Amino acid sequence: MPTYTAPTRDTRFIINEMLDLASYGNLPGFENATPDMIDAVISEAGKFCSEVLAPLNQVGDEQGCTRHEDGSVTTPDGFKEAYEQMVEGGWTTLTGAEEFGGQGLPHVMGFAFEEYMGTANQAFAMYPGLTGGAAAALAAAGSQEQKEMYLPKMISGEWSGTMNLTEPHCGTDLGMIRTKAEPQADGSYAVTGTKIFISAGEHDLTSNIIHLVLAKTPGAPDSSKGISLFVVPKFILDENGEPGERNGVSCGSIEKKMGIHGNSTCVLNYDGAKGWLIGEENKGLAAMFVMMNAARLGVGIQGLAQAEVAYQNAVTYALDRRQGRALTGPADKDAKADPIFVHPDVRRMLMDAKAFNEGMRALCLWGALQVDLSHKAQTEEERQLADDLIGLMTPVIKGYGTDKGYDIANNMQQVYGGHGYVKEWGMEQFVRDSRIAMIYEGTNGVQAMDLCGRKLASNGGRAVQAYFAAVEEEISSAKQIEGLSEMAEKVEKALGEQKAATGWFMQNAMANPNHLGAGAHHYMHIMGIVTLGFMWLKMAKVAKAALEASPEDAAYYEAKLTTAAYYTERYLPDAGALRRKLEAGSDNMMALPEEAFATAA
């Protein structure tokens, strides 16, 4: 059975040392995030996820969720009890607004907990994860009455939430949705339609489920400009604000999926369900994007999470499994064979995983800090900069993070050889579970087009120029530190490849938009590679300074520097190859007629 140990030491390094979260103590919400508080939260979060959630991961995969004749759904054994423990421990309240019962801690703390939870049990983590996004959308666009009605119990975890976008005939192109919302005399709307792929759409974990539903009102434009957002609770609230009459929404079926079996991914049927408009009519997409952006960052964390748990188990296996001898001679002369850990190709896969995981963890937590600063930094200029950076990085965290997370999970399965293909070892579940992250909340192709088609050019390129400046500043700083200049030069070269790719788009994409579409995925990966190099420079600087102070855990910092060197020599060269692919354009990609793709008999 696979195991999981939360990487609390690495999390503390990033939060306390790399980000120096304590230095933001003058900002609202940061005053309570002292190093002692951070250490306590991280330690207890790691313990809860490792000891309570991880043992349920295979249980959830094997049992799945069960839909009953009345449309109700029960979750796998142990999920309800674990959820109750999570609520009792206050974990759902970490970053919630204090006004509605939350602890108001920085998002950095919430992201750390999300990683641990998703690594321990991704299917379970999706239940509270979607609730957080729904609460964010209500907080941003809901009326004060709606906030007071729903947010306290959503933040406490007593109620959960969902997002309802996709329909059988439409996914990314939301302008095609057919779900209708008819205005009623009492100010509510009758919502009718079918939504599919609704994560946590029906379950037995909470006493109410608050659905956020995209629909069109009568006479609305037949496009994305005609979309409105509605709050549709599973149980309509009574005069005391408690669940009362059952609403007209039901689970038609549970999707039969490749992975995340422990999460109830539902087809939801709305049959004149009572809903209430959130925000303005025909302005629903903007409100939903608040939730979607939060969800996309959460999915990026899932890419890291599955890579991390697969890596941890692959390391354990590689140290234990004996096959062959080390190329330099027997490593263990008293045994008939050496652990496979000694073989360079196994080390290649493990080092690739370690370098990605630690770099991606730094990026996710740095991104969380930008979310916090975009709301709470002291000046408008600082808030704007943080908002630009996290807006630019969201598709990279989601797209690159999940592409690579899946690759890492695959390679960790490879470390096991034939045992990796056998269910009892658990590795094949990590691969299956990680696959969905590349698809939902906007496929990674959509993320790449969002990055290249919207984010790069937004506000005259203000965000990407700010990003370039931040990376250049880090490079310049690292060049002045003995032992880091070579790493800095490699990051600088990779950044040059990204700048060249950006320039090529500017010169060629206007004349032929297909050039942008053909190269967007490559560009997203270039930016992911460079950004993790940016993170590794930050971590290397901190590790170098710490070593000079002769710490007790010097081995930890030495490993950081070695892994940073590995990343810069093994990952960064790919930026150049990807730029050359990008600059090949779209001519040959789009040249063949449709019939040329058919297989001749």
Side-chain angles (χ1 to χ4, degrees):
M1 181 177 179
T3 60
Y4 169 60
T5 301
T8 55
R9 175 66 183 92
D10 205 50
T11 305
R12 289 197 302 271
F13 166 78
I14 295 166
I15 293 177
N16 290 333
E17 299 178 65
M18 190 192 97
L19 298 178
D20 189 16
L21 204 66
S23 67
Y24 297 93
N26 61 320
L27 301 181
F30 284 81
E31 62 272 12
N32 294 325
T34 62
D36 286 345
M37 165 66 85
I38 291 167
D39 288 349
V41 169
I42 289 171
S43 177
E44 290 303 312
K47 187 182 298 183
F48 170 74
C49 294
S50 299
E51 297 177 2
V52 177
L53 299 186
L56 298 175
N57 194 43
Q58 279 192 308
V59 174
D61 185 60
E62 291 166 2
Q63 289 188 3
C65 296
T66 303
R67 179 187 177 276
H68 305 283
E69 289 186 9
D70 63 358
S72 64
V73 171
T74 52
T75 50
D77 290 349
F79 272 44
K80 187 172 179 61
E81 292 77 12
Y83 187 87
E84 289 170 354
Q85 279 187 252
M86 181 181 66
V87 171
E88 288 170 6
W91 293 111
T92 63
T93 69
L94 273 183
T95 61
E98 293 181 272
E99 177 187 0
F100 301 110
Q103 298 182 51
L105 288 171
H107 282 84
V108 176
M109 304 306 298
F111 274 38
F113 180 62
E114 279 191 51
E115 183 205 329
Y116 294 175
M117 188 165 49
T119 314
N121 193 324
Q122 180 174 324
F124 179 94
M126 292 169 65
Y127 291 101
L130 271 295
T131 303
L138 274 168
S143 66
Q144 188 61 30
E145 181 183 12
Q146 288 171 337
K147 294 175 188 178
E148 292 173 357
M149 188 178 297
Y150 297 109
L151 289 183
K153 292 188 177 180
M154 293 176 74
I155 289 172
S156 73
E158 185 176 340
W159 297 346
S160 61
T162 71
M163 56 191 297
N164 286 234
L165 290 76
T166 308
E167 300 184 6
H169 63 284
C170 97
T172 302
D173 190 354
L174 292 171
M176 295 173 63
I177 66 170
R178 296 173 183 162
T179 299
K180 297 296 183 184
E182 299 280 348
Q184 304 298 297
D186 63 359
S188 68
Y189 288 76
V191 178
T192 301
T194 298
K195 298 290 184 177
I196 64 171
F197 304 157
I198 308 306
S199 300
E202 172 63 26
H203 55 78
D204 59 348
L205 302 183
T206 61
S207 61
N208 206 354
I209 303 174
I210 311 305
H211 302 293
L212 266 58
V213 185
L214 291 183
K216 290 182 177 178
T217 55
D222 190 22
S223 68
S224 61
K225 294 180 180 180
I227 296 173
S228 299
L229 181 63
F230 299 86
V231 57
V232 185
K234 173 181 174 180
F235 291 100
I236 299 169
L237 305 189
D238 61 21
E239 63 276 8
N240 298 314
E242 296 297 329
E245 177 188 351
R246 184 74 160 86
N247 208 348
V249 52
S250 61
C251 172
S253 64
I254 298 176
E255 307 284 4
K256 294 178 172 60
K257 312 183 297 289
M258 175 179 175
I260 54 170
H261 296 152
N263 193 269
S264 55
T265 308
C266 300
V267 173
L268 289 185
N269 297 318
Y270 290 85
D271 185 14
K274 189 176 286 287
W276 289 267
L277 181 68
I278 297 174
E280 297 179 45
E281 192 172 336
N282 300 333
K283 302 290 186 182
L285 202 55
M288 185 60 88
F289 262 111
V290 173
M291 186 172 184
M292 290 173 68
N293 285 331
R296 285 171 175 175
L297 290 170
V299 173
I301 295 172
Q302 289 178 1
L304 161 64
Q306 294 306 298
E308 173 66 24
V309 70
Y311 163 74
Q312 287 190 16
N313 285 276
V315 169
T316 300
Y317 184 84
L319 289 168
D320 181 67
R321 176 72 168 175
R322 291 178 180 271
Q323 292 282 291
R325 289 296 194 185
L327 297 177
T328 53
D332 185 353
K333 294 179 181 180
D334 296 329
K336 291 184 177 180
D338 291 328
I340 63 172
F341 198 81
V342 305
H343 301 308
D345 193 58
V346 172
R347 284 291 189 103
R348 170 187 63 83
M349 291 186 283
L350 295 177
M351 282 299 294
D352 280 356
K354 181 176 176 63
F356 169 77
N357 291 354
E358 294 180 18
M360 189 65 188
R361 180 172 299 114
L363 175 56
C364 289
L365 294 174
W366 175 86
L369 178 59
Q370 306 314 307
V371 173
D372 288 315
L373 295 178
S374 69
H375 297 290
K376 298 177 178 178
Q378 287 186 315
T379 69
E380 175 58 31
E381 183 181 8
E382 291 172 310
R383 292 191 292 272
Q384 185 66 69
L385 173 61
D387 191 60
D388 284 346
L389 288 173
I390 193 56
L392 181 71
M393 292 310 305
T394 294
V396 178
I397 290 172
K398 195 281 186 185
Y400 180 73
T402 59
D403 275 351
K404 289 301 297 181
Y406 178 71
D407 287 347
I408 296 298
N410 258 316
N411 278 341
M412 297 305 95
Q413 183 186 34
Q414 185 75 13
V415 169
Y416 276 68
H419 290 297
Y421 204 67
V422 176
K423 190 174 181 64
E424 67 185 86
W425 289 86
M427 299 303 288
E428 57 86 35
Q429 183 191 344
F430 301 144
V431 174
R432 287 186 289 106
D433 284 356
S434 66
R435 188 63 184 86
I436 185 57
M438 303 161 72
I439 298 172
Y440 59 14
E441 304 307 339
T443 65
N444 287 356
V446 170
Q447 302 305 316
M449 284 303 294
D450 177 43
L451 172 65
C452 298
R454 294 179 63 245
K455 300 293 176 61
L456 290 183
S458 180
N459 298 304
R462 184 179 67 200
V464 75
Q465 292 303 322
Y467 165 82
F468 288 153
V471 179
E472 287 167 348
E473 182 180 350
E474 203 66 46
I475 291 168
S476 177
S477 176
K479 279 184 175 181
Q480 309 307 312
I481 301 173
E482 184 179 356
L484 300 187
S485 59
E486 186 176 347
M487 292 184 204
E489 288 168 3
K490 289 174 181 175
V491 176
E492 184 174 43
K493 183 176 181 180
L495 180 64
E497 303 286 8
Q498 184 184 351
K499 287 182 175 181
T502 309
W504 191 89
F505 274 158
M506 291 175 64
Q507 294 172 7
N508 294 277
M510 290 292 288
N512 185 351
N514 278 340
H515 287 332
L516 184 79
H521 187 266
H522 301 314
Y523 188 94
M524 180 178 71
H525 273 245
I526 292 170
M527 192 165 186
I529 289 166
V530 173
T531 305
L532 260 63
F534 174 38
M535 293 298 114
W536 271 113
L537 280 186
K538 285 179 173 291
M539 289 189 284
K541 284 169 57 180
V542 174
K544 184 79 171 175
L547 277 172
E548 291 173 359
S550 301
E552 291 183 7
D553 54 349
Y556 174 84
Y557 295 108
E558 289 167 355
K560 275 289 177 198
L561 289 173
T562 299
T563 309
Y566 181 89
Y567 182 87
T568 57
E569 69 186 15
R570 291 280 179 158
Y571 272 81
L572 292 176
D574 290 345
L578 289 167
R579 178 180 66 81
R580 289 188 288 276
K581 286 186 177 184
L582 180 152
E583 291 177 355
S586 63
D587 292 347
N588 288 322
M589 184 181 292
M590 307 300 291
L592 290 179
E594 292 178 12
E595 55 270 21
F597 288 87
T599 302

